[in-house]
Amino acid sequence: MDLNYTPEQEAFRAEVRQFLDDNLPDDIRERVQKRLRPDKAMTERWQKILFDQGWGASTWPKEFGGTGWDPIQQIIFEEECALAGAPRQLDFGLRMVAPVIMTFGNDAQKQRFLPGILSGEDWWCQGYSEPGAGSDLASLRTSAKLEGDHYVVNGQKTWTTLGQHADWIFCLVRTSTEGKPQQGISFLLIDMNTPGIEVRPIIMLDGEHEINEVYFDNVKVPAENLIGEENQGWTYAKFLLGHERTGLANVGQWKALMKRLKAVAREEQDGQRPLIENTRFRDRLAQLDMELRALELTVLRVLTDKRGPGPQASILKIRGTEIGQQLFEMLMEATGQDAIAHIPDALELDYNGPRSGSIDATPAAGDYFNMRKLSIFGGSNEIQRNIIAQLVLGL
Amino acid sequence: MNFDLTEEQQMLSDSLRRFVTNEYSFEKRGEIIQSGHGTDPATWSALAEMGLLGFTFPEDYDGLGGNAIDTLVVMENLGRGLVVEPYLATVVLAGGLIRDAGSEAQKADILPGIASGERLLALAHSEPGARYNLSHVQTTARKDGDQFLISGQKTAVLHGSQASQLIVSARTRGNVNEESGLSLFLVDRHANGVTVDDFATHDGHRTAEISFSKVAVSADNLIGTLDNAFPIIEKTVDLGIAALCAEAVGAMEAMNAATLEYIKTRKQFGVPIGKFQALQHRMADMFIHTEQARTMAILAASEADSDDRARRREAISMAKTLVGQAARYVGQEGVQLHGGMGVTDEMFAAHLFKRLTLINLLFGDADHHLAQVSDGLLAKTA
């Protein structure tokens, strides 16, 4: 047992840091560090820079153009990226659909879809939830009927994050109503430019357009876009959720935010003293700092476990999202009543107008409101507790 | 970066786990506690035979040259079975202190005796009013010719009455709450002027209130250098905290196992109560707390031997805070999920709860250590 990084791992960290120093554009860094509005072009530019370096997919094996890094290297890379102010890469392609294609897709599908994900050319979104199928995902009703060499898809998906930018959507669709609900689900890749698809925005409580409804009206999808076998989609979906949960711990980004929060606590004034000297605030900061340290080490412990993550990944999703939410809450509280002003224009890089309080106050409350999603999406934290109770504890 | 036990550590863990499961039943533990001695010579000999009593001592003193990770493995297993032997008091605290600060003669005299199980020692440091402040020492050791005369009052001396020798901290210079001016002495528990009041603790261990009235000790019973004992006291306590964190993790695992078993078998409304989601989610949270505590116990053990004081202290305080909070959560919920049975003396869960509660109180509770980390943040930003 040794909790220190090896010299090789430290050298790797230095290499990543140097690369970020040299290649992360200043405007992107600024946008991320000031927590301004995310931007499609920014995400694509950054993915292209990583791709050109050969680092487009830190979690993929080499045979598909990934880095072939081990879990510790992946964590180091993610952490350094977050601390440097790099934007988060798009999970939907890289971490969600790609592992499914690699594991269950055929060779033609691998050749067709993986390169676009790697280069960032193709923007992917996820078609899982429906108005009537949230936590009870298996009750989904969007149907796909095979007619000759294509499926005809009808129905509606919702909570489709960044679907307004997407070229592709990976969907769970119903191909059979026989047997248990889980048994009639298939995993289908759909081109968002196909006639019959309509994307409608859902405005979130922070006033931002991040999520969407996606409607399918007699949408023709080539049968070759089916992943694996018909009616086996639930198996692939569960596999994917396991991947998603590990990523949801999000330690790198939380560490970067914690660093910022500590700085804000020094900069914000509490009367005649810096906020950090307010014991009540500082104790809560310390508590959160410790919980983040525990999360960081628990992620390392789970990811280096030779038995693989398994259902224990649910712990990481729960703790990761709870800690993330508290970070945003404390960032808001740190800026105090300066956080109350809602200035949507100030979330753009070129904004030069008036603002309330410091630059940290501008996104603070909006982020806090937005981040309530963390404990709800990706399988709500209550569903995660069900998973622990049933799959880990056998209740 | 790896969290794996070595093959030896894994074997040790397996054999100690077997011993605790097979040879240290809940009933037997009850008899040991009732015996009045509070310890069991047969159990202690068995631990000695397994090499555990000298585990972290150098090989020259009949030890195995182990480290705090080895202690983690031992304490977790002792915690799982709620073993009440003085492993913390004698091996981790007193033994660790002699190992780290004793002279060659003291090490040669004491460590093999601890390793063989023949000698019990205890650390007499805490004083009334000190709460968790390690420099709050009013006991004095006054130089008198070629000896010292020790006077003062010590409290919460773990297994103080069972020990044949005490390691006593005393002020040889300066004022109460000053870190400098402290010294450590080896004192015979039966020496003239030593008065010991022995108590049972709520969790089946033993504690003592000990007063010293002009107790004469020779200068060669000084441990380490005069006036400079504070760093070694602090480091010894840190080793003790790391050990307690590991013990708590073992006890939390046992609590989860006992509670899980109970809610899978206890039926109400025609079904096992574990089928109810209200209970399932609480059980899931007990599991999450325990896993997080395990991570922090590992962190504490990894840093406990370190001489980088700031780094060690931060890790220890972080661990003790989160483990203390987890111990409280898991303890209380474990009792709650056992329903009425949880508040009876006959249930293992009740005893686990008591030990978990007292572990939080030893060497600084969660609030105390949270304040250490919090003030550390202030210092870092100053």
Side-chain angles (χ1 to χ4, degrees), chain B residues 6-316:
Chain B
T6 62
E7 213 169 295
E8 290 77 20
Q9 286 166 337
Q10 192 58 57
M11 276 168 53
L12 162 84
S13 180
D14 293 345
S15 67
L16 182 53
R17 188 173 185 148
R18 267 196 307 277
F19 171 79
V20 170
T21 308
N22 299 333
E23 311 289 332
Y24 202 83
S25 66
F26 181 50
E27 291 71 27
K28 180 170 178 188
R29 175 181 180 271
E31 287 165 18
I32 293 167
I33 292 170
Q34 292 302 321
S35 73
H37 298 290
T39 58
D40 178 42
T43 302
W44 198 242
S45 302
L47 296 178
E49 274 164 36
M50 281 188 259
L52 303 184
L53 302 187
F55 207 173
T56 60
F57 302 161
E59 287 169 20
D60 289 351
Y61 306 105
D62 298 352
L64 296 172
N67 58 27
I69 301 287
D70 296 305
T71 302
L72 168 93
V73 173
V74 173
M75 290 302 289
E76 187 184 331
N77 282 290
L78 296 182
R80 198 174 277 122
L82 286 184
V83 174
V84 296
E85 298 303 307
Y87 197 88
L88 176 70
T90 293
V91 179
V92 179
L93 295 172
L97 193 151
I98 296 293
R99 175 199 61 197
D100 291 342
S103 64
E104 288 308 313
Q106 286 164 340
K107 285 191 264 194
D109 174 41
I110 294 168
L111 296 183
I114 292 178
S116 68
E118 287 158 283
R119 254 164 115 161
L120 298 184
L121 274 80
L123 176 66
H125 174 64
S126 290
E127 298 193 2
R131 200 168 162 81
Y132 303 125
N133 299 301
L134 296 178
S135 60
H136 186 100
V137 174
Q138 289 180 299
T139 296
T140 54
R142 195 162 48 78
K143 193 107 169 72
D144 181 43
D146 57 358
Q147 60 178 13
F148 290 90
L149 296 175
I150 299 177
S151 295
Q153 178 73 29
K154 295 289 180 180
T155 185
V157 182
L158 303 177
H159 288 102
S161 181
Q162 289 67 37
S164 58
Q165 281 174 302
L166 304 167
I167 297 172
V168 183
S169 60
R171 192 159 286 289
T172 39
R173 194 165 54 80
N175 298 311
V176 66
N177 291 333
E178 283 179 15
E179 290 182 3
S180 66
L182 294 179
S183 305
L184 289 162
F185 298 92
L186 203 54
V187 180
D188 192 276
R189 177 233 179 285
H190 294 285
N192 279 330
V194 177
T195 312
V196 178
D197 287 315
D198 176 38
F199 301 105
T201 60
H202 282 284
D203 56 6
H205 288 243
R206 308 297 299 187
T207 185
E209 297 286 302
I210 304 181
S211 65
F212 301 84
S213 176
K214 293 184 183 161
V215 179
V217 293
S218 66
D220 54 4
N221 283 325
L222 175 72
I223 304 168
T225 56
L226 197 69
D227 295 341
N228 289 317
F230 186 79
I232 185 64
I233 293 168
E234 191 179 67
K235 184 164 182 210
T236 302
V237 167
D238 286 348
L239 286 169
I241 290 173
L244 281 171
C245 287
E247 185 186 351
V249 169
M252 281 186 256
E253 281 213 334
M255 181 63 112
N256 289 349
T259 308
L260 199 52
E261 171 72 18
Y262 185 79
I263 68 173
K264 278 179 178 174
T265 47
R266 166 72 176 169
K267 284 189 178 174
Q268 287 290 272
F269 305 101
V271 293
I273 59 174
K275 289 290 169 201
F276 298 122
Q277 200 176 40
L279 271 57
Q280 288 183 354
H281 283 195
R282 296 167 79 162
M283 196 73 234
D285 282 332
M286 290 165 71
F287 175 72
I288 294 170
H289 270 290
T290 304
E291 286 301 309
Q292 188 165 276
R294 169 179 296 286
T295 297
M296 295 312 275
I298 291 171
L299 173 67
S302 303
E303 298 290 345
D305 287 317
S306 169
D307 287 320
D308 181 341
R309 177 176 184 248
R311 188 175 144 163
R312 184 188 78 225
R313 294 243 85 198
E314 183 185 63
I316 291 288

Side-chain angles (χ1 to χ4, degrees), chain A residues 183-223:
Chain A
Q183 287 165 355
I185 292 171
S186 298
F187 197 102
L188 202 56
L189 312 181
I190 304 176
D191 185 339
M192 287 292 279
N193 292 311
T194 319
I197 295 181
E198 189 193 345
V199 179
R200 294 184 199 162
I202 298 172
I203 301 304
M204 284 181 72
L205 77 176
D206 57 353
E208 297 294 312
H209 177 198
E210 179 177 305
I211 50 178
N212 304 271
E213 298 173 295
V214 182
Y215 291 81
F216 298 86
D217 179 18
N218 286 317
V219 175
K220 285 172 73 171
V221 180

Side-chain angles (χ1 to χ4, degrees), chain A residues 5-22 55 76-77 80:
Chain A
Y5 289 100
T6 63
E8 291 77 23
Q9 287 164 344
E10 292 294 3
F12 175 75
R13 184 185 292 279
E15 183 191 351
V16 173
R17 196 172 286 181
Q18 187 62 50
F19 168 78
L20 289 161
D21 268 358
D22 296 342
W55 291 358
I76 291 172
F77 175 72
E80 287 302 319

Side-chain angles (χ1 to χ4, degrees), chain A residues 68-207:
Chain A
W69 288 335
D70 64 34
I72 303 279
Q73 287 176 303
Q74 294 171 28
I75 285 174
I76 291 172
F77 175 72
E78 243 182 77
E79 185 174 311
E80 287 302 319
C81 283
L83 289 171
R88 231 182 119 87
Q89 292 172 265
L90 197 67
D91 277 352
F92 302 106
L94 287 165
R95 281 172 180 261
M96 294 165 78
V97 75
V100 172
I101 293 172
M102 286 175 204
T103 312
F104 304 106
N106 58 37
D107 286 341
Q109 288 167 336
K110 290 175 197 170
Q111 280 162 23
R112 180 170 172 206
F113 294 111
L114 295 178
I117 295 173
L118 188 60
S119 66
E121 224 161 290
D122 293 335
W123 189 289
W124 283 80
C125 65
Q126 181 185 39
Y128 272 28
S129 294
E130 298 182 5
S135 289
D136 182 14
L137 185 59
S139 69
L140 61 90
R141 295 198 322 213
T142 295
S143 67
K145 286 205 175 69
L146 190 60
E147 292 181 7
D149 62 354
H150 61 263
Y151 286 96
V152 176
V153 177
N154 279 288
Q156 181 194 346
K157 293 292 176 183
T158 193
W159 314 133
T160 312
T161 301
L162 303 179
Q164 70 268 35
H165 305 317
D167 304 299
W168 287 88
I169 183 168
F170 57 93
C171 279
L172 292 180
V173 292
R174 183 155 300 287
T175 39
S176 167
T177 50
E178 307 276 309
K180 290 206 299 185
Q182 288 86 348
Q183 287 165 355
I185 292 171
S186 298
F187 197 102
L188 202 56
L189 312 181
I190 304 176
D191 185 339
M192 287 292 279
N193 292 311
T194 319
I197 295 181
E198 189 193 345
V199 179
R200 294 184 199 162
I202 298 172
I203 301 304
M204 284 181 72
L205 77 176
D206 57 353

Side-chain angles (χ1 to χ4, degrees), chain A residues 1-5 266 282-283 287 290 297-298 301 306 315 319 382 385-386 392-394, chain B residues 1-4 264 277 281 283 285 287 291-292 294-295 298 311 318 325 370 374-375 381:
Chain A
M1 200 175 287
D2 183 359
L3 270 52
N4 295 304
Y5 289 100
R266 284 195 302 269
R282 192 178 67 248
D283 283 355
Q287 175 79 35
M290 285 188 269
L297 289 170
T298 305
R301 189 156 71 79
K306 292 179 183 73
I315 298 177
R319 290 306 292 143
E382 287 68 36
R385 287 183 170 86
N386 288 350
V392 181
L393 304 175
Chain B
M1 174 77 65
N2 84 82
F3 293 81
D4 303 325
K264 278 179 178 174
Q277 200 176 40
H281 283 195
M283 196 73 234
D285 282 332
F287 175 72
E291 286 301 309
Q292 188 165 276
R294 169 179 296 286
T295 297
I298 291 171
R311 188 175 144 163
M318 281 189 166
Q325 291 168 346
L370 171 65
S374 180
D375 292 348
T381 58

